[in-house]
Amino acid sequence: MWRITIKKLPDKKGYFGQYGGRFVPETLMPALQELEAAYSKTQKDKSFQRELKYLQETYIGRPTPLYFARRLTKHLGGAKIYLKREDLAHTGAHKINNALGQALLAKKMGKKRLIAETGAGQHGVATATGASLVGLECEIYMGSEDVQRQSLNVFRMKLLGAKVNEVNIGSRTLKDAINEALRDWTTNVRTTHYVMGTVFGPHPFPMLVRDFQSIIGREARKQIIKAEGKLPDYLIACVGGGSNAIGLFYEFLNDAVKMVGVEAGGRGIETGEHAARFAGGSIGVFQGCKSYLLQDDDGNVLGTHSVSAGLDYASIGPEHPYLRDMKRVQYTYATDSEALSAFELLSETEGIIPALESAHAIAEAVKLATELPKNKILVVNLSGRGDKDVQQVARIKGIEL
Amino acid sequence: MNRIETTLNRLKADNKKAFIPYIMAGDPDLEKTMEHVMLLAECGADIIELGVPFSDPLADGPTIQRAAERALKAGVTLKRIIPFVKKLRQRTQVPIVLMTYYNPVFKYGEDAFIKDSVKAGIDGVIIPDLPPEEGEDFIKLSRAAKFCTIFLIAPTSTKERIEQIVSACTGFVYYVSITGITGSKLMFEKTFKSHIASVKKSTDKPIAVGFGVSTPEDAKMVSQIADGVIVGSAIVKKFYEHPAGAKEFIRKLREAI
Ligand SMILES: Cc1ncc(COP(=O)(O)O)c(C=O)c1O
């Protein structure tokens, strides 16, 4: 018997159990309250919802397909693998679901300017796209290490009219980009909306981003029932901040479906060079919320490593440790080399080049499908396309383009 | 009453304003920090803010970010700063306030942090990323230990928030003069005077103004409105770039207030 019922969270203070909250400088507190109020108004605003739906269908291209990966399934010889094709959403990843929603919201709030952090560049591209769609200025913060490994996306953002600021402090990756974006927001909060790219940061961001992303699971649930006449046995998604994962999982939380989140195992947990917050972290307060964090004994944040820029982050959205404590979602990790193998396997068997982030989810699907019998069904979130990673993979393989 | 309250009461009785400099503990090491504290005290600092270095100081501009990097490189953390103040107390009784992000305190443990701080002779703490609504336990524990909790008010704070914040403050109220991060240029917004006046109306507690005060002229202007003037980045920068001129610079700030 299935007995878990997951409450609708967060609570009034933005908590999922003991995780979440709002740990930011006072300058930003009123903006967060304003955002929370504006967001709750748009949820009841029929014309806002109509416009959002219209753009989801005609601009993003929703619903994205749920695709049965026949050749991959056959190759592995076990459970059936379905792919939720967020790679086919406009701009090439799930990030647009959130960025478009927040761009509309910011416009409604009368803001003039959007800012965002980006790791893989997908959220930066999505925010720049949202900004040009609704007619707002846009500035993106990106760590210089990520600028280098995701150079294609940097140029895309510029083409879309955004200014890209390289961040040259700290580890020069996603967390440093978030620090800089928060500093910009603190300075320009009256005119600017910060488009947080994942289910992280101070309340209401983890809730609001989840809500915009939960369309993934709402579609997938209908699609799998139509295709198979029943619910799947497993859902699998990669977890950076955790937005594509929660986006897929949310609609299924009270169903008898197992869920697996896949973090970045980097060069292996024992090397310390990874971004597996559950395998190597502890509870901490970082960049606006309480959650799991890779930190030292003094509470300073540790450097992380992943082949995938989008998973290379020291903390994780606060709803995830809650779901883990409730034993509702299980978290594991895939290493760089497992993700790279999955990247090639999916390309060769299905003609789909996945984002390196999504390749972590594929790697877990490969393991699980192999162990499970043929009548089991897996749904994997293919959160993005891999075009942005092609140069990086060539570099790793020592191939000059 | 602890050292902060005693000092501020005395200044008030004398119709004087407080000079509150900030330096980063451990920049470039704790021996130098000891010298800097003694110099500040000798030049007439009324309260000294000691920064605790953190890997991700999101409310700070480049000057304090770099100072934190230098201090972390020297291996200085909260665990070393608390005993450092204990040692400092053998030489000076100037009130000491720590300025730290919340995670180092959370990791140390709120209760242990407060108890150890008080034992070492630290008088209070400013935690820029801990708003009062997240600090309910922390405030309770601090009250019991007579440890000052100083929260920040920003130019964006609403009336309701101002009331909530001043009631959570002991020692003094920290008014952030600009919408921005530390080390920004001081540019009084049009509403500055009326906003700070509304803060004054809501409390009798002393109000110190900081963020962006970088010259003796700035300090003078601010001292005409507030009960105390906080100078951070400009002093950190002076000690780092031009230590020989630090004493004179600090003297001038003191005289301007
Ligand atoms: C394609 C893709 N998948 C996954 C992620 C990880 O983010 P999240 O965990 O929020 O889905 C990113 C982030 O950049 C991404 O670009």
Side-chain angles (χ1 to χ4, degrees):
Chain A
M1 266 308 279
W2 196 262
R3 292 203 159 274
I4 298 177
T5 351
I6 300 291
K7 271 188 300 191
K8 240 189 127 50
L9 289 170
D11 64 17
K12 263 210 177 112
K13 289 183 77 183
Y15 277 84
F16 305 87
Q18 63 167 313
Y19 311 102
R22 200 176 255 170
F23 296 84
V24 293
E26 172 59 23
T27 311
L28 295 178
M29 289 296 285
L32 292 166
Q33 291 175 332
E34 179 196 349
L35 177 63
E36 190 183 357
Y39 175 64
S40 109
K41 226 161 105 189
T42 58
Q43 279 189 307
K44 292 171 218 129
D45 178 344
K46 288 218 175 74
S47 84
F48 183 92
Q49 294 301 333
R50 220 174 314 147
E51 187 182 9
L52 179 62
K53 183 159 188 284
Y54 174 75
L55 290 171
Q56 283 168 338
E57 288 171 6
T58 59
Y59 190 73
I60 299 180
R62 304 208 70 89
T64 58
L66 183 73
Y67 167 74
F68 174 49
R70 185 184 319 251
R71 290 197 68 231
L72 179 64
T73 298
K74 194 160 172 222
H75 173 83
L76 298 170
K80 283 174 116 172
I81 299 177
Y82 280 84
L83 304 176
K84 178 61 174 163
R85 298 291 306 273
E86 291 302 298
D87 61 318
L88 295 178
H90 179 46
T91 69
H94 70 293
K95 295 286 179 188
I96 190 74
N97 300 327
N98 165 50
L100 177 74
Q102 288 199 50
L104 291 176
L105 181 57
K107 184 86 181 175
K108 192 106 192 162
M109 290 169 73
K111 301 289 178 186
K112 302 273 176 283
R113 177 171 173 267
L114 298 182
I115 55 169
E117 83 294 346
T118 195
Q122 285 304 129
H123 176 58
V125 167
T127 303
T129 301
S132 62
L133 178 69
V134 303
L136 296 171
E137 285 172 51
C138 184
E139 264 184 64
I140 304 296
Y141 290 89
M142 189 169 187
S144 53
E145 179 167 334
D146 294 337
V147 165
Q148 207 181 16
R149 58 180 163 171
Q150 306 276 258
S151 55
L152 182 73
N153 273 343
V154 175
F155 189 58
R156 288 172 79 197
M157 289 182 255
K158 290 181 181 165
L159 283 175
L160 291 161
K163 181 166 178 240
V164 181
N165 300 306
E166 258 188 66
V167 179
N168 268 309
I169 192 159
S171 60
R172 297 166 170 76
T173 56
L174 185 55
K175 86 172 172 71
D176 311 285
I178 295 180
N179 286 336
E180 275 305 295
L182 284 168
R183 290 180 188 121
D184 179 321
W185 201 30
T186 304
T187 309
N188 301 298
V189 62
R190 290 192 173 88
T191 57
T192 299
H193 174 67
Y194 178 16
V195 185
M196 175 61 79
T198 186
V199 286
F200 195 72
H203 179 61
F205 283 116
M207 167 183 81
L208 178 156
V209 178
R210 175 199 69 198
D211 291 352
F212 284 130
Q213 291 293 1
S214 61
I215 191 166
I216 301 172
R218 284 201 301 278
E219 290 173 3
R221 197 171 184 282
K222 283 189 204 137
Q223 289 166 322
I224 193 70
I225 289 173
K226 186 158 181 228
E228 291 282 345
K230 60 176 181 182
L231 290 169
D233 297 285
Y234 284 88
L235 304 176
I236 303 170
C238 67
V239 187
S243 68
N244 87 88
I246 211 85
L248 176 65
F249 298 166
Y250 198 59
E251 186 71 10
F252 294 87
L253 280 180
N254 293 317
D255 291 327
V257 175
K258 295 196 173 94
M259 303 179 184
V260 185
V262 188
E263 299 185 275
R267 299 195 173 98
I269 306 304
E270 65 293 345
T271 66
E273 295 180 51
H274 61 83
R277 288 70 45 107
F278 288 129
S282 54
I283 300 176
V285 174
F286 185 52
Q287 293 180 333
C289 66
K290 188 184 286 182
S291 185
Y292 265 67
L293 176 64
L294 291 167
Q295 59 183 330
D296 65 18
D297 287 344
D298 296 298
N300 285 303
V301 179
L302 292 171
T304 52
H305 163 80
S306 169
V307 68
S308 116
L311 305 184
D312 198 352
Y313 183 58
S315 190
I316 179 170
E319 194 160 10
H320 286 284
Y322 171 73
L323 292 172
R324 181 171 176 264
D325 286 359
M326 299 292 288
K327 305 210 180 334
R328 182 63 193 94
V329 179
Q330 180 206 330
Y331 294 84
T332 180
Y333 58 86
T335 62
D336 286 355
S337 65
E338 288 168 331
L340 285 163
S341 305
F343 179 86
E344 293 187 11
L345 180 65
L346 192 70
S347 303
E348 285 163 16
T349 56
E350 293 291 349
I352 298 170
I353 302 175
L356 279 174
E357 291 78 17
S358 323
H360 287 71
I362 301 292
E364 176 61 19
V366 168
K367 284 186 218 168
L368 259 178
T370 314
E371 291 165 11
L372 292 167
K374 288 186 177 167
N375 63 350
K376 297 287 180 189
I377 300 166
L378 314 183
V379 172
V380 185
N381 202 0
L382 195 68
S383 56
R385 56 190 291 162
D387 304 45
K388 69 181 177 64
D389 295 312
V390 167
Q391 287 169 312
Q392 154 95 340
V393 172
R395 209 177 301 137
I396 291 167
K397 292 173 74 96
I399 297 165
E400 215 166 305
L401 295 179
Chain B
M1 236 189 300
N2 74 15
R3 273 175 287 252
I4 296 175
E5 287 155 338
T6 313
T7 301
L8 291 173
N9 283 347
R10 174 173 50 75
L11 287 171
K12 191 172 181 188
D14 297 349
N15 209 10
K16 282 187 182 150
K17 304 297 172 86
F19 169 43
I20 310 177
Y22 165 103
I23 56 173
M24 176 64 72
D27 172 24
D29 54 48
L30 285 175
E31 289 71 49
K32 271 271 179 277
T33 303
M34 180 76 82
E35 285 175 29
H36 294 166
V37 170
M38 294 314 294
L39 179 69
L40 289 167
E42 179 198 319
C43 293
D46 296 301
I47 296 170
I48 294 173
E49 276 183 30
L50 269 186
V52 176
F54 181 54
S55 54
D56 295 85
L58 55 81
D60 287 304
T63 300
I64 293 179
Q65 287 174 42
R66 304 284 178 216
E69 275 189 346
R70 292 191 291 271
L72 287 173
K73 211 173 202 174
V76 173
T77 62
L78 192 52
K79 277 191 213 132
R80 288 184 57 198
I81 292 169
I82 294 173
F84 166 79
V85 176
K86 189 166 186 174
K87 222 167 90 191
L88 191 67
R89 277 285 169 250
Q90 295 163 3
R91 299 183 57 186
T92 174
Q93 293 307 311
V94 65
I96 301 272
V97 175
L98 294 188
M99 180 141 180
T100 175
Y101 287 87
Y102 182 58
N103 199 49
V105 173
F106 176 76
K107 191 77 183 163
Y108 197 103
E110 290 185 348
D111 196 24
F113 166 75
I114 293 163
K115 283 190 179 133
D116 291 354
S117 292
V118 169
K119 242 187 270 166
I122 297 167
D123 303 290
V125 68
I126 304 165
I127 309 180
D129 59 345
L130 185 75
E133 46 266 70
E134 296 290 359
E136 282 171 18
D137 292 344
F138 189 83
I139 292 168
K140 253 185 239 147
L141 292 167
S142 298
R143 288 294 171 279
K146 295 196 166 40
F147 188 57
C148 286
T149 54
I150 296 139
F151 289 91
L152 284 71
I153 289 179
T156 51
S157 299
T158 55
K159 193 162 177 292
E160 300 80 66
R161 295 199 57 78
I162 289 171
E163 268 160 29
Q164 185 185 5
I165 295 164
V166 296
S167 75
C169 288
T170 44
F172 62 94
V173 176
Y174 193 135
Y175 187 89
V176 175
S177 55
I178 46 164
T179 309
I181 54 178
T182 59
S184 308
K185 206 171 147 42
L186 190 66
M187 271 185 301
F188 285 124
E189 293 168 29
K190 280 179 265 135
T191 50
F192 176 74
K193 276 195 180 152
S194 63
H195 196 250
I196 204 166
S198 74
V199 178
K200 278 185 181 163
K201 228 180 273 163
S202 62
T203 184
D204 296 332
K205 294 170 190 171
I207 297 166
V209 172
F211 276 47
V213 181
S214 65
T215 62
E217 294 74 50
D218 291 344
K220 182 168 183 171
M221 200 158 58
V222 168
S223 69
Q224 286 158 3
I225 306 165
D227 304 302
V229 184
I230 301 163
V231 187
S233 297
I235 291 177
V236 170
K237 199 169 177 169
K238 199 54 123 191
F239 273 130
Y240 180 62
E241 285 176 1
H242 188 49
K247 188 168 179 174
E248 196 193 321
F249 180 61
I250 294 158
R251 278 247 158 85
K252 284 204 174 124
L253 285 168
R254 169 73 279 185
E255 282 160 18
I257 292 170

